[in-house]
Amino acid sequence: MSAQPTDRTAARAPDRPVILSCGDPSGIGPEIAARAWEHCGAKLPFVWIGDPAHLPRGTKIREIDRPADALRHASAGLPVLPHEFPAAALPGEPDPANAKAVIDVIARGVDLVMRGEGAALSTAPINKKALKDGARFTFPGHTEYLAHLAGVERVVMMLASSRVDPPLRVVPATIHVALSEVPKLLTPQLLRETVRITYEGLRRDFGFSAPRIAVAGLNPHAGEGGAMGIEEGDWIADTLDGLREEGYAVAGPMPADTMFHARARQNYDAAICAYHDQALIPIKTLDFDGGVNITLGLPFVRTSPDHGTAYDIAGQGRANPASLIAALEMAARMGAARHD
């Protein structure tokens, strides 16, 4: 695949704000939201949904009635759509009483973007166990719950950074499963679906007219002709041949250990990997603080910071807002690309 520009989305604020759900109020979500507004709120309006009492003391806020108000008032304070929570937020100590409200805020954010009142949705971190304990939350995480709310069966997780040159976007075909389960779960159907959803996401949300996708092999050296594994020869190569016949610009199977240096990244717009660490190690090595989690395949744009609730530092003023800022900026760019 020949090199081409890898990000053609315009770096401009949308005509609607990004919606930011509060996440677990006992984690770092409220403090990084406040710091993100200080950094980019006036030039990139976003709306925080949550209980204003959970924000750090002294946070300058502007309570609003509808997301559109944020476009006029973002410079006056963090625009807040108030959402009542039953309990206070104790840093590092999630309260089961707040679990249902955390879930309801996510659903409210989805409703707003589905109705076109927000350009995109960004979600602050949640703790799945806390939600399960407090509200019998049955979904493995944010992504599955968002797919449920949107009525979508299959979505794809992408991790992206535009702060490295060339930009890096990685997609794990299998995600939070044991390594021993990967060979059984990685099937021709899963790989085809992952390529197709990734391709459409790159076209619709990143502005690529002809996306280029690189696919990593499952085994070391992509199997090295069967000496180090047979999946590449048994079915991965044939599956990619079939996708190429359908018109997809897809390369592979490629040795994963040579895919992520700068020169190699010039040749693709996204890399699809076989399993979690194969995708996440390179992006977290190249941009640990600025990586963004993106859900492709939804009827709206969704991003989130690539970290968790960080209970151990919550409320201490030490949390780095860089990943959330990157998530908000990317949500705005993707929302603009989707609605052009």
Side-chain angles (χ1 to χ4, degrees), residues 66-133:
R66 57 193 184 116
D69 294 337
L71 300 175
R72 297 193 303 272
H73 301 304
S75 60
L78 170 61
V80 173
L81 280 174
H83 194 99
E84 186 175 351
F85 277 61
L90 299 178
E93 299 180 23
D95 191 328
N98 283 331
K100 184 177 183 304
V102 171
I103 297 167
D104 290 345
V105 164
I106 299 168
R108 186 177 174 188
V110 169
D111 180 63
L112 288 170
V113 294
M114 291 280 281
R115 288 194 281 118
E117 294 192 47
L121 177 69
S122 283
T123 56
I126 58 173
N127 181 286
K128 277 74 76 176
K129 183 179 186 305
L131 298 186
K132 181 178 179 181
D133 292 346

Side-chain angles (χ1 to χ4, degrees), residues 217-241 252-254:
L218 170 65
N219 297 294
H221 298 184
E224 200 162 282
M228 298 184 184
I230 61 172
E231 287 83 359
E232 289 79 6
D234 276 2
W235 65 267
I236 296 177
D238 287 344
T239 299
L240 299 185
D241 285 342
M254 302 174 65

Side-chain angles (χ1 to χ4, degrees), residues 40-315:
C40 64
K43 61 183 178 182
L44 177 59
F46 65 92
V47 178
W48 186 78
I49 308 177
D51 191 328
H54 293 165
L55 290 164
R57 183 174 298 178
T59 300
K60 193 175 182 181
I61 69 169
R62 180 69 179 256
E63 292 192 16
I64 58 176
D65 298 319
R66 57 193 184 116
D69 294 337
L71 300 175
R72 297 193 303 272
H73 301 304
S75 60
L78 170 61
V80 173
L81 280 174
H83 194 99
E84 186 175 351
F85 277 61
L90 299 178
E93 299 180 23
D95 191 328
N98 283 331
K100 184 177 183 304
V102 171
I103 297 167
D104 290 345
V105 164
I106 299 168
R108 186 177 174 188
V110 169
D111 180 63
L112 288 170
V113 294
M114 291 280 281
R115 288 194 281 118
E117 294 192 47
L121 177 69
S122 283
T123 56
I126 58 173
N127 181 286
K128 277 74 76 176
K129 183 179 186 305
L131 298 186
K132 181 178 179 181
D133 292 346
R136 298 182 180 179
F137 189 67
T138 59
F139 297 91
H142 250 132
T143 301
E144 294 81 4
Y145 183 49
L146 293 170
H148 166 74
L149 292 172
V152 173
E153 288 189 15
R154 177 88 174 95
V155 294
V156 162
M157 183 178 84
M158 172 183 281
L159 282 297
S161 171
S162 57
R163 303 198 315 176
V164 297
D165 186 22
L168 177 59
R169 305 174 190 89
V170 293
V171 170
T174 64
I175 308 176
H176 297 122
V177 296
L179 191 58
S180 61
E181 296 294 310
V182 171
K184 291 181 286 185
L185 296 174
L186 185 66
T187 63
Q189 179 180 351
L190 176 63
L191 184 56
R192 282 192 294 267
E193 289 178 351
T194 302
V195 168
R196 288 167 179 156
I197 293 171
T198 302
Y199 180 94
E200 179 60 20
L202 289 168
R203 190 193 63 77
R204 181 171 61 173
D205 297 331
F206 289 89
F208 292 102
S209 59
R212 304 162 306 158
I213 295 173
V215 177
L218 170 65
N219 297 294
H221 298 184
E224 200 162 282
M228 298 184 184
I230 61 172
E231 287 83 359
E232 289 79 6
D234 276 2
W235 65 267
I236 296 177
D238 287 344
T239 299
L240 299 185
D241 285 342
L243 287 163
R244 282 188 280 270
E245 290 175 3
E246 295 177 27
Y248 292 94
V250 57
M254 302 174 65
D257 63 345
T258 59
M259 286 178 60
F260 298 106
H261 59 84
R263 189 171 66 255
R265 297 200 308 275
Q266 293 175 352
N267 296 316
Y268 60 81
D269 304 309
I272 293 177
C273 299
Y275 53 92
H276 182 277
D277 285 10
Q278 196 181 59
L280 271 66
I281 287 174
I283 195 164
K284 291 196 174 186
T285 300
L286 291 171
D287 189 9
F288 184 79
D289 291 324
V292 176
N293 188 329
I294 300 164
T295 305
L296 302 178
L298 294 170
F300 53 87
V301 170
R302 181 264 177 150
T303 69
S304 72
D306 184 26
H307 59 69
T309 53
Y311 289 139
D312 57 324
I313 61 169

